[in-house]
Amino acid sequence: MSANAPAITRGLKLVLVPLAVGAAGLVLAHHEMILTGLAFMQNDWGDTRFCNYALEHGYRWLFGWPGHTDLWSPGFFYPAKGVFAYTENLL
């Protein structure tokens, strides 16, 4: 065994402990989705659907899909313009 073994073990602990705590936190926070193979989504349907729409609109705007030409004016806010900036739009 080398003299650096305690330093290596300490280094592994410094990396593995935060990763384990983070993974446990993710499972606790999102266990409904993770344990069902993503068959279920979060509990609040309004927020979940809006977040999914916001992400999908951003993706479609980025690739220039028809109907998604203006990032700040998604279709469901029609006729108002630029109101996507008022929301939590996941930027």
Side-chain angles (χ1 to χ4, degrees):
M1 190 157 217
S2 71
N4 289 336
I8 292 172
T9 304
R10 190 171 346 126
L12 283 174
K13 286 181 185 177
L14 288 174
V15 172
L16 294 179
V17 170
L19 286 176
V21 169
L26 283 173
V27 170
L28 287 172
H30 303 289
H31 67 277
E32 291 179 348
M33 293 184 297
I34 294 170
L35 299 178
T36 61
L38 302 178
F40 291 130
M41 292 177 37
Q42 296 172 353
N43 293 327
D44 186 1
W45 284 88
D47 286 343
T48 302
R49 287 182 179 171
F50 176 72
C51 287
N52 284 339
Y53 183 85
L55 291 170
E56 185 70 19
H57 173 68
Y59 170 81
R60 290 180 179 203
W61 169 79
L62 188 63
F63 288 102
W65 286 40
H68 298 274
T69 56
D70 185 5
L71 176 65
W72 303 111
S73 300
F76 71 84
F77 285 128
Y78 181 80
K81 297 285 186 190
V83 293
F84 200 46
Y86 300 154
T87 65
E88 177 187 351
N89 52 19
L90 308 174
L91 288 179

